[in-house]
Amino acid sequence: MLEQELVVPNLFQKQGVDQFKGADNDTISVPVEGVLPFHDYGWRNDRSQPIQFDEYRERKIAVTFGGNVYSAVKLTDEQNDFDLSEWGKLLRPQVKAVARGLSRRAVNTLTGQAYSVVIGGAEANLRGALTEARRVLNKFNVPDGSRYLLVGSDFESALLNDDRLNLAQFVGDGEAESALTTATIGNRRGFRIIVSQEIPADTAYAFATSAFIFLSGAPSVPQSVPYGATTSFEGIALRWVRDYDPLYMQDRSVVNTYAGFRSVTDVLVGWDETAQSEVVSTGEHFVRGIKLTLDGASVYPPASSELATITGISDAAPWPRTTSAVAAQTRTRRSNAA
């Protein structure tokens, strides 16, 4: 039930929490494989120069886990005997409540991330904006197997009203097997396009599933409770415990899960045309996701930055900056046409 209720958390890479058990302050150091450049040694050279050696270093990222999303309900004897025919009727709204809590935390992680690239003024040329988003992620070497475009409600309307994208025909075609299935409106430019009512209406986020991590784990069932169960499905774990309070003649039902969210940064490898050699970034960069807005100006990395030097994406050649006035004129033209 929980998996079927989730949209945004299901777009994230899922991991368990067992590795955090016993960790000091709920923090672990995750080793990340080091990156090495390659070199060329001249064919049949005079051997006057030695080969070049590099120092290999693995990075360690401190990851802190924390969060306990729950729903707790009391049920009187009268309610149990006369109002509810089965516990499943109570369990479903409890699971939905936990799902909303997980979704809110996932959305806060997504919208609170600092993005290196913001494609502004997308409404003036939606097809061009999607193509630019694909170009940027390609330049960032983001895996193209599982890319999403999560759009707000106004952004969705703009996409559906664009005849050239031809997305409207797909809405409502599939069976509503889950919230994620219902939210999907089509595939374009290598993105699975999904709508969310929880993100800003005029905003979209293009990212790979590996850009964010959703940590989930089921708490242990206490031996003191008469009924308790845990389950895990599609990387999401949940616990349900029930007991009876004789002083107040009522059942108590608690559904909860441990949860945590984080973004993924990378050390980048690029090519220096001047030196004709590979370049490895000295810092870590978040490049697995970018932001798009219907209005406003675009934001790209400064041309002198390490990110721009390695990837070639910079403010020297940004997506065409579109003012709010031009976007407003676009809306007016569409309104008049309608």
Side-chain angles (χ1 to χ4, degrees), residues 118-335:
V118 177
I119 299 175
E123 188 172 22
N125 184 358
L126 286 167
R127 287 199 307 170
L130 296 188
T131 301
E132 174 66 2
R134 178 183 176 88
R135 183 185 78 91
V136 171
L137 293 185
N138 286 344
K139 285 283 190 177
F140 284 168
N141 287 321
V142 176
D144 59 2
S146 55
R147 292 181 182 178
Y148 298 103
L149 182 68
L150 187 69
V151 302
S153 55
D154 289 351
F155 211 109
E156 177 200 25
S157 296
L159 291 172
L160 295 178
N161 287 328
D162 192 323
D163 294 336
R164 296 177 300 174
L165 288 172
N166 199 25
L167 281 167
Q169 62 173 320
F170 296 103
V171 178
D173 285 352
E175 295 182 5
E177 297 177 356
S178 68
L180 184 58
T181 302
T182 304
T184 300
I185 62 175
N187 296 275
R188 289 293 183 273
R189 302 295 194 272
F191 296 106
R192 180 180 178 185
I193 304 175
I194 300 168
V195 63
S196 170
Q197 306 298 327
E198 300 169 299
I199 66 174
D202 64 344
T203 304
Y205 298 91
F207 60 94
T209 188
S210 59
F212 301 96
I213 292 180
F214 168 27
L215 301 167
S216 174
S220 301
V221 176
Q223 296 182 359
S224 59
V225 298
Y227 175 80
T230 62
T231 187
S232 179
F233 178 72
E234 296 291 340
I236 303 173
L238 200 66
R239 179 183 70 174
W240 182 25
V241 294
R242 281 177 52 198
D243 70 352
Y244 187 75
D245 183 357
L247 294 179
Y248 295 93
M249 295 186 180
Q250 57 190 6
D251 268 299
R252 294 178 294 194
S253 172
V254 178
V255 175
N256 68 321
T257 182
Y258 295 146
F261 298 87
R262 63 183 175 91
S263 59
V264 177
T265 56
D266 292 284
V267 169
L268 307 180
V269 178
W271 181 255
D272 187 336
E273 289 290 350
T274 303
Q276 287 294 294
S277 63
E278 275 195 327
V279 180
V280 179
S281 67
T282 57
E284 299 173 20
H285 302 272
F286 178 78
V287 294
R288 300 187 185 218
I290 63 175
K291 182 178 177 180
L292 300 88
T293 58
L294 290 178
D295 298 332
S298 298
V299 178
Y300 281 65
S304 59
S305 66
E306 180 181 66
L307 180 58
T309 301
I310 291 179
T311 66
I313 299 296
S314 76
D315 57 7
W319 167 252
R321 300 179 185 273
T322 305
T323 63
S324 298
V326 173
Q329 291 174 1
T330 302
R331 292 198 191 96
T332 301
R333 288 195 299 269
R334 287 181 180 160
S335 178

Side-chain angles (χ1 to χ4, degrees), residues 1-2 5 69-73 75 84 86-101 238 240 253-256:
M1 285 190 291
L2 180 63
E5 293 292 332
V69 183
Y70 73 93
S71 171
V73 177
L75 192 69
L84 291 178
E86 58 180 10
W87 271 95
K89 288 186 176 180
L90 178 63
L91 183 60
R92 182 169 293 279
Q94 285 193 272
V95 170
K96 287 185 176 181
V98 172
R100 289 196 303 273
L238 200 66
W240 182 25
S253 172
V254 178
V255 175
N256 68 321

